Amino acid sequence: MSVQKHNRQISKLHSVKELSADVDELYSQLQKYHPRLYQYKSKVVLDFKFDSLKQSLTPMNSKDFYKKTVQVVSQMGHGHTGITPPKKIKTKEERKLYRRQKNNFNTLDFEYLNKQLFISKTKEKDGALLFAEVLKINNEDVSVLTKKYRKIFSSDGYNTTFYDKVIGKHFKKYFYRDKGELDSISLTLQIEDSTFIKTFRTILRKKSTKNSLKKKSDSIKKDATRKKPVILSKLERKKRRKFNKIHGYNYSEKTYTRNLSFIGKDSTVAYMKIRGFGNGSYKEFYEQTFQTLKNRNTENLIIDLRYNGGGRAAEIRDLYAYLTDKEFQFFTKSEVKTRFPVLNSVYTNTNNLFSKIVVGIGSPVIVAYRVFKVKKENNQLYFNYKTKIKEPNPLNFKGKIYVLINGYSFSASAILATYLKANQRAIFVGEETGGAYNGTVAGFTRVHDLKHSKVRVHFGLMQIQTPFLQKPDGFGVKPNLAISPTLKDRKAKIDPELDWVLKDIVSQ
């Protein structure tokens, strides 16, 4: 579909008949492929909600249709299931202009604690706005916006801690999805007893010319206080690349996915911060880490899973092998709706022809392989996903473990927390995890665009869980000690969860 045709398609008013067909298509996709669709809401309830949605339709464009439909999808209680509105495709000239534009609103990060939205980080040099509470945006109360945004995504089950953390972390994304691209964004801010307005405008970046670069170069030479650029040798660059790969360097955030440091009294407490289970050569990192712990005779290990949204299931399974001295089965067989979840994730109307051809060529092998992986028991299909018994790693840590969790500890990080909690291997401090104790529908993901509105739905194809289940269903891993930080803590640069752990270690 051409750029012009796509943009006309999503901006025009769709008929009730077309939108009703899209609702049926959406529900049909979920019923056909989602293995736990009725886990938290019964079929009777969801049938009623989708029928009510159809009854409420009027002619509308794709964005307005998305805003109505998302409120039904978000009530299902599956954090990996969601829909997104179609985006206008920019022309070549529009993309060129967009790359030249900047708005310093985009340099801000937000956090939402105790019904307060505040600026938690700014990438600009001016730190005067740090920890300023946001009262209004373009004269609209933040409380109104956050209440609206809570209805467009879901945690797993009935958990509530996930919502505040997601609203803070992804506030900009939801704001732009709601309002579109704006030339001017005004924030009503409060610092202490002072209230003021800060306006961020979209401007064009200055073009760099040879003369301007020469002047900048001359000014650097004249500034004796400026540090000289560090020039690394070829060997040093190679070491740096390897270090970045092992620790999972995030170039956009300029942070490492995995860090190990030693803190506390005499720097004897190991502190491992894991921001996600996504990028980097994790096997090398964990091998090096636990060899270091062994060499230093470390007795206390803190694993920080706060704001860890998950990632690779293989990584948490390998990590757990370093945290136990017993053999274990990390995952049970995964419920699926079809025998070929891999093919169902690729053969959708969103994947390009090349991807389909590549998978098509290999499909006979995939089909043959999955025949032995997928079995039917008691009229239910199960996929053997990493169910083999695993031995503990020879470098397994035998000391005391503390795990820091919060509402954004989701998916794979919540599953790891489940296994540690069920085996009483760690003391948990913080908030209930956003991911469910009893697992989550994730794994291979199916993405599908609805025919008329082009609204996109995405959801997992496998129920992934450990052998451990709790009742009632639908809640996360709960901490042994519940601690929630405040804006006051952030301003004072206090980490109450970590501070409690360090005091507990000293008291032993």
Side-chain angles (χ1 to χ4, degrees):
M1 185 182 291
S2 67
V3 172
Q4 293 81 5
K5 189 174 180 180
H6 170 84
N7 291 339
R8 284 197 303 269
Q9 177 75 6
I10 65 174
S11 60
K12 73 175 186 177
L13 291 181
H14 303 289
S15 68
V16 172
K17 183 179 179 180
E18 290 175 326
L19 296 177
S20 183
D22 274 8
V23 172
D24 288 338
E25 183 182 354
L26 168 61
Y27 199 18
S28 175
Q29 284 285 313
L30 292 169
Q31 289 175 314
K32 185 175 181 180
Y33 297 108
H34 196 294
R36 287 282 188 94
L37 183 59
Y38 305 114
Q39 183 174 3
Y40 303 115
K41 291 287 190 298
S42 69
K43 185 177 187 304
V44 172
V45 171
L46 286 185
D47 284 351
F48 175 77
K49 288 185 178 296
F50 275 97
D51 185 62
S52 298
L53 173 62
K54 290 169 66 174
Q55 298 302 319
S56 69
L57 294 173
T58 60
M60 63 185 75
N61 61 29
S62 296
K63 187 174 182 180
D64 290 336
F65 174 69
Y66 155 78
K67 288 181 177 181
K68 288 184 72 70
T69 308
V70 72
Q71 295 188 48
V72 174
V73 175
S74 65
Q75 292 181 53
M76 293 178 182
H78 293 283
H80 290 86
T81 299
I83 61 172
T84 54
K87 291 182 179 180
K88 176 188 174 185
I89 300 177
K90 292 180 172 66
T91 62
K92 184 178 180 180
E93 291 73 21
E94 288 172 331
R95 292 196 301 272
K96 187 176 180 181
L97 175 62
Y98 181 77
R99 285 193 292 268
R100 286 192 58 209
Q101 294 175 331
K102 73 170 186 176
N103 189 316
N104 285 342
F105 175 75
N106 297 322
T107 69
L108 306 177
D109 287 343
F110 298 91
E111 190 171 3
Y112 189 69
L113 297 175
N114 304 312
K115 298 183 179 180
Q116 291 177 292
L117 181 74
F118 61 92
I119 297 171
S120 60
K121 185 179 177 182
T122 173
K123 295 173 186 175
E124 291 297 299
K125 294 180 180 179
D126 181 14
L129 301 181
L130 197 61
F131 305 124
E133 183 182 357
V134 186
L135 304 179
K136 295 182 179 181
I137 301 184
N138 287 350
N139 215 32
E140 189 171 3
D141 286 348
V142 161
S143 59
V144 174
L145 294 173
T146 55
K147 185 177 180 180
K148 182 194 301 184
Y149 299 161
R150 282 179 72 93
K151 298 178 180 179
I152 61 177
F153 64 93
S154 174
S155 65
D156 276 339
Y158 313 110
N159 168 277
T160 59
T161 59
F162 186 64
Y163 291 93
D164 287 356
K165 294 298 182 288
V166 171
I167 285 173
K169 188 172 179 64
H170 298 297
F171 185 82
K172 285 183 295 188
K173 177 178 74 174
Y174 295 138
F175 179 77
Y176 281 129
R177 187 177 291 177
D178 180 25
K179 308 298 181 183
E181 295 176 7
L182 302 174
D183 292 329
S184 177
I185 301 173
S186 293
L187 304 185
T188 302
L189 302 170
Q190 181 173 316
I191 299 179
E192 304 299 337
D193 295 327
S194 175
T195 302
F196 60 98
I197 295 176
K198 172 71 174 179
T199 301
F200 299 88
R201 292 184 173 84
T202 300
I203 60 174
L204 290 177
R205 301 177 191 273
K206 292 181 180 178
K207 284 187 176 181
S208 297
T209 62
K210 289 184 179 180
N211 290 334
S212 65
L213 290 173
K214 186 176 184 304
K215 288 179 181 179
K216 186 177 181 181
S217 176
D218 291 341
S219 66
I220 292 174
K221 291 176 183 177
K222 291 175 183 178
D223 186 356
T225 63
R226 185 183 291 269
K227 291 183 180 180
K228 293 182 179 179
V230 178
I231 300 175
L232 300 176
S233 67
K234 186 175 181 180
L235 179 61
E236 289 171 327
R237 290 198 302 272
K238 185 177 180 180
K239 287 182 178 179
R240 175 66 60 84
R241 284 195 299 270
K242 185 176 181 180
F243 184 89
N244 288 350
K245 184 178 180 181
I246 292 172
H247 291 75
Y249 187 67
N250 185 321
Y251 287 90
S252 62
E253 297 292 329
K254 293 182 171 53
T255 58
Y256 288 101
T257 301
R258 301 169 201 82
N259 290 94
L260 175 69
S261 58
F262 289 87
I263 59 176
K265 187 179 179 180
D266 302 324
S267 299
T268 57
V269 178
Y271 173 73
M272 184 162 58
K273 173 66 177 175
I274 310 176
R275 293 179 172 84
F277 296 109
N279 61 328
S281 301
Y282 65 87
K283 290 189 177 183
E284 292 182 72
F285 173 81
Y286 295 128
E287 184 178 0
Q288 291 179 8
T289 291
F290 287 95
Q291 182 65 63
T292 300
L293 300 189
K294 182 178 180 180
N295 295 342
R296 295 179 62 134
N297 296 315
T298 303
E299 296 179 356
N300 295 283
L301 168 63
I302 302 171
I303 302 175
D304 193 343
L305 297 179
R306 292 173 297 180
Y307 286 103
N308 182 322
R312 295 174 290 205
E315 180 172 347
I316 59 173
R317 182 170 173 259
D318 281 7
L319 172 55
Y320 185 76
Y322 286 97
L323 305 175
T324 184
D325 59 359
K326 300 178 179 65
E327 66 175 23
F328 61 96
Q329 179 190 7
F330 201 86
F331 297 106
T332 59
K333 292 174 289 187
S334 299
E335 292 180 27
V336 291
K337 286 294 286 287
T338 71
R339 289 188 175 275
F340 311 110
V342 176
L343 296 180
N344 297 143
S345 69
V346 175
Y347 281 101
T348 72
N349 60 8
T350 61
N351 281 326
N352 58 43
L353 181 61
F354 177 76
S355 298
K356 293 178 180 178
I357 290 174
V358 170
V359 175
I361 294 172
S363 59
V365 177
I366 295 173
V367 169
Y369 175 66
R370 296 307 172 199
V371 166
F372 296 101
K373 281 286 186 178
V374 178
K375 301 290 184 182
K376 196 169 189 178
E377 299 176 15
N378 299 322
N379 209 33
Q380 170 64 55
L381 290 173
Y382 291 97
F383 177 45
N384 280 312
Y385 180 70
K386 300 187 183 301
T387 57
K388 289 183 179 180
I389 300 297
K390 189 172 177 64
E391 296 291 326
N393 193 287
L395 291 173
N396 66 86
F397 180 72
K398 295 177 175 59
K400 193 170 185 178
I401 301 174
Y402 296 84
V403 179
L404 306 182
I405 52 176
N406 68 6
Y408 205 87
S409 302
F410 188 71
S411 193
S413 66
I415 293 173
L416 175 62
T418 294
Y419 218 98
L420 289 166
K421 187 71 179 288
N423 288 283
Q424 300 180 350
R425 187 62 187 94
I427 296 174
F428 289 80
V429 180
E431 300 173 338
E432 179 186 353
T433 62
Y437 186 105
N438 290 356
T440 186
V441 177
F444 304 116
T445 299
R446 183 170 178 82
V447 183
H448 180 86
D449 287 346
L450 303 181
K451 181 178 179 180
H452 303 287
S453 63
K454 301 304 175 185
V455 166
R456 175 166 291 186
V457 57
H458 62 270
F459 54 94
L461 297 174
M462 302 159 53
Q463 166 66 13
I464 299 177
Q465 63 187 39
T466 73
F468 307 101
L469 300 175
Q470 69 175 6
K471 291 183 178 181
D473 187 17
F475 293 93
V477 178
K478 295 183 179 178
N480 299 94
L481 182 72
I483 300 178
S484 294
T486 64
L487 175 54
K488 185 178 180 181
D489 291 330
R490 294 293 188 252
K491 288 180 178 179
K493 297 183 179 180
I494 293 172
D495 187 335
E497 302 101 304
L498 183 58
D499 287 352
W500 184 90
V501 171
L502 293 175
K503 288 177 183 177
D504 189 66
I505 291 172
V506 171
S507 68
Q508 294 176 20

